[in-house]
Amino acid sequence: MSETTLYPLRFEPIFQYRLWGGRHFSNLLSAPLPDGPVGEAWILSDRDDHPSHIANGTLKGRTLAEVMEQSQEQLMGMLALRFKRFPLLLKFLDVSEMLSVQVHPSDEHQELIPPGESSKTEAWVVLEAQKGSRIYAGLQPGTTQADLHSALAGGEIAKRLLAIDPKPGDAIFIPAGTVHTLGDGVVVFEIQQNSDVTFRLYDWGHIDSKTGQPRPLQVDQAFACIDFDGNTGGLVMPIIETTAPVVRERLFDCDHFRLWRLHGVAPFNVGATGVPQVLVCIQGSGHVEQNNIRYAVGKGDVWLLPAEIGVCAFLPGDEVTLLEIAIPA
C-alpha cells in the first residue's frame, strides 16, 4: 500500500470466546456471532494477535497496522511521531457471569509489563444492565494488603470491593492499579490503552468448559500492582459541554484518552483538525459526510476519522447517540 489519501475508515468486529460471555451482541452488531459464549468484540485493535481490518473503500481488507505503518502522518497528524501503533484498544463486553477480579499495572511497575506492552488504564460505558448486575471498582476505604489477603482466603473478596449497581448510561473509570470486575448480565463499551496485561486476583470458582480446569491466577503480580493508598476510579459524573445542536457530555479525560457522548437529531460536527478521532455508534444511525461523500453509520459501528480529513458533518437518520474518542495531544 503506497501512501494514499485517507477517508473515514470502518472496521469489522473481532469476536472473542469467553466463558463468562453471552449472546447480547446480536442486538448491538450486525455481524453474525460465532457459536458459544461471546464475551468480547474487539472493534478497533492494532495488535499482532487480533488486528482490525478495514471494511470499506479502497483500503478494504487492510489492517490498522498497515495504515499506521504506511500512512502514519495522514492518519495520526500531529501525533504521528509519538506512536508506532495505534495507542487505544476499543471493545464491547458482554458479561453474563462475573468476570474475574483483576488489576492492571501502571507505569510504576515496568518490571511486570512484558516488552511491547504498556500500562493499562481503561473505562466503561454501560449499554445494558439487568436487575442484579454488578460492577466493582476499587477497594473499600482503609483496606490493607492483610485485609485483602484475608478476604481472598475466606472467599469474601466482594466485601472488600466498592460496588456499583449499574444502569445504562453509567460511566466508570478504571485507572491502572484499581481492583475491578463486572458481570451478571451487563454489556459495556470499553476503552483502554493498547495493552493486554491483566493479573487475575480471584475467579469466583469458574471452570473453563473448553479445558475443564480453573483459569490460572496471578495473585502475587496483582498485589504488586494494586494501589492501596487511594482510589481515583469508579462512577464518574458526565460534564455537559454543549446542548445544541447536539448534547455533548464529557465522560473521561485522562492522560491516555478523552471520550464524549453525543446525543441528538440535528446535524452536528465530528472529528478534529490535525488529529484522529474515533466514533462509536451506540444508538440510532446516520451518515458521516466528508468531501461531499456520505458514509452510512449503523448501531455498533466504529469509524476512525484520520487526522488529514479534519472536521466532518454527522447527519443523524434518527435519534442517535455516538461516543467520540480522542487521543490527548
Side-chain angles (χ1 to χ4, degrees), residues 177-188:
T178 303
V179 181
H180 62 280
T181 187
L182 77 170
D184 289 346
V186 65
V187 178
V188 303

Side-chain angles (χ1 to χ4, degrees), residues 264-270 279 281 284-290 292-298 312-320 322:
V265 294
F268 55 89
N269 288 338
V270 292
L279 302 178
C281 183
S285 62
H287 290 82
V288 170
E289 185 174 77
Q290 188 265 331
N292 295 318
I293 300 174
R294 292 187 177 185
Y295 300 84
V297 178
C312 303
F314 191 88
L315 312 174
D318 50 12
E319 191 172 6
V320 69
L322 303 177

Side-chain angles (χ1 to χ4, degrees), residues 15-23 25 36-42 91-96 99 186 188:
F15 294 115
Q16 306 278 3
Y17 162 82
R18 297 290 186 266
L19 64 90
W20 39 259
R23 306 293 297 174
F25 291 150
V38 181
E40 301 187 6
W42 292 25
K91 306 176 182 178
F92 291 121
L93 306 183
D94 177 5
V95 194
S96 292
L99 187 135
V186 65
V188 303

